[in-house]
Amino acid sequence: MSPKNVAVIGSGNWGSCIARICGHNVVNQENFNSEVRMWVFEEMVDGKKLTEIINTQHENVKYLPGIQLPTNVVANPDLVAVGEWADILVFVLPHQFLPRTCNTLKGHLKPGAYGVSLIKGVHVEEGKGMSLLSDLIRESLGIDCALLMGANLAPEVAQETYCEATIGSRDPAKARELKSLFQTNYFRLVTTDDEVVVELCGALKNVVATGAGFCDGLGYGDNTKAAVIRLGLMEMIHFIKTFYKDRGVRDETFFESCGMADLVTTCYGGRNRKLAEAFVRTGKPITQLEEEMLNGQKLQGPLTAAEVYTMLNERGLVKRFPLMSAVHLICVGQVAPNKFIDELREHPEHM
């Protein structure tokens, strides 16, 4: 078989980080092409094209500064060209951009190509309800799609500090191939066929982390934050079992890196927690804080909370998910941040 071409679709901090891992790993494996292509949404940085900076300085100076990328990671602003070349497409971009990205790629993929999503979010379409992003990729592009989620803050992974992640795939061969593509001595992987829990934990934990940030902004201590994390986990489990119980959900998956570990990490160190704290302390809009604190990158927690709330409201289930509902209502200004804990006091005991 010919070596497979690996393309990373996205070039934020996590996209650049995972491209770095792939770039190092493909070099010594005969089943992969030694070049990794990374699709970059072109923009100007200090008067130069970002793709040119990456390809000459081997550093994403805007989104992952100070980290050297392998010379075999090649930035390309042409999404169609990257898609036509790839056998494995690693999707890692803000989830609100995925539908447009898939529309551009449609009809331009190689036979036998497949995807792996590192995107943490859900897709809600008016009149059609909520769908998984992996299902959006499968249906839009007609390809299989695996998942990779875990307790992985990009700057720490880029510094090669030890961490774990979870690959979700119902195809054992693809799971093994992806493990060989991504695993390193500091980035350890476990595989499972429980794709739904792997994916939805990655999306829903950002909502809980936003609530944890509200706690920090309001000056609550660790006891309160621990309660929020526990209640958040219970809502995550309840949500997944309510809407996806027919997709082979298994309790043990919640205790892999994609579940509890990712939740705890994000509630203490992630950008959703950080910006939610600043949102409470400063009173600035989230969009302004994204520009000031994330260099224009988009926060996923509030957006996912809005999409989840839409789904819950349509089904009359808002009161069954008080934490997720409160996060959304606070983000859009319908509930004051200092009412957050009040919203949780009557949390259903039988979750």
Side-chain angles (χ1 to χ4, degrees), residues 6-9 35-39 72-76 81-82 85:
V6 177
V8 178
I9 309 300
E35 179 181 306
V36 172
R37 297 185 184 177
M38 179 170 67
W39 174 66
N72 62 324
V73 172
V74 179
N76 189 324
V82 171
W85 176 82

Side-chain angles (χ1 to χ4, degrees), residues 222-262:
D222 288 336
N223 291 350
T224 304
K225 193 168 180 179
V228 166
I229 293 172
R230 188 194 73 82
L231 293 171
L233 177 62
M234 297 306 292
E235 286 198 11
M236 288 167 58
I237 294 172
H238 184 50
F239 184 94
I240 293 170
K241 289 187 174 182
T242 296
F243 293 105
Y244 292 94
K245 62 183 179 181
D246 60 340
R247 297 279 293 265
V249 171
R250 294 199 301 273
D251 287 343
E252 57 265 30
T253 313
F254 292 100
F255 299 96
E256 295 292 351
S257 181
C258 62
M260 189 64 191
D262 196 8

Side-chain angles (χ1 to χ4, degrees), residues 74-241:
V74 179
N76 189 324
D78 188 336
L79 178 58
V80 170
V82 171
E84 290 175 335
W85 176 82
D87 295 294
I88 302 174
L89 296 99
V90 183
F91 290 92
V92 51
L93 68 165
H95 79 267
Q96 61 268 37
F97 301 139
L98 183 61
R100 183 175 66 192
T101 301
C102 287
N103 284 337
T104 302
L105 287 169
K106 191 177 299 183
H108 297 285
L109 300 184
K110 296 170 66 173
Y114 71 94
V116 52
S117 174
L118 282 65
I119 308 173
K120 297 179 177 180
V122 293
H123 178 63
V124 174
E125 193 171 346
E126 188 173 351
K128 296 184 179 180
M130 190 185 80
S131 61
L132 302 180
L133 297 180
S134 62
D135 286 342
L136 174 64
I137 292 169
R138 294 181 187 108
E139 293 165 9
S140 297
L141 300 178
I143 62 174
D144 190 17
C145 185
L147 292 308
L148 188 150
M149 304 285 169
N152 310 135
L153 302 179
E156 293 185 20
V157 179
Q159 293 289 346
E160 301 188 2
T161 57
Y162 181 83
C163 62
E164 299 176 322
T166 310
I167 291 173
S169 175
R170 292 193 176 92
D171 185 327
K174 289 187 175 72
R176 290 191 297 270
E177 184 169 63
L178 292 172
K179 187 171 182 177
S180 69
L181 175 62
F182 294 121
Q183 182 161 267
T184 71
N185 61 356
Y186 62 88
F187 189 59
R188 308 303 291 176
L189 299 175
V190 172
T191 64
T192 175
D193 62 1
D194 191 358
E195 295 175 339
V196 168
V197 173
V198 173
E199 180 165 8
L200 280 175
C201 280
L204 298 175
K205 58 91 182 182
N206 284 328
V207 181
V208 182
T210 303
F214 293 159
C215 287
D216 292 338
L218 293 166
Y220 289 111
D222 288 336
N223 291 350
T224 304
K225 193 168 180 179
V228 166
I229 293 172
R230 188 194 73 82
L231 293 171
L233 177 62
M234 297 306 292
E235 286 198 11
M236 288 167 58
I237 294 172
H238 184 50
F239 184 94
I240 293 170
K241 289 187 174 182

Side-chain angles (χ1 to χ4, degrees), residues 30 44 113 157 185 213 287:
E30 61 183 16
M44 303 300 292
V157 179
N185 61 356
T287 52

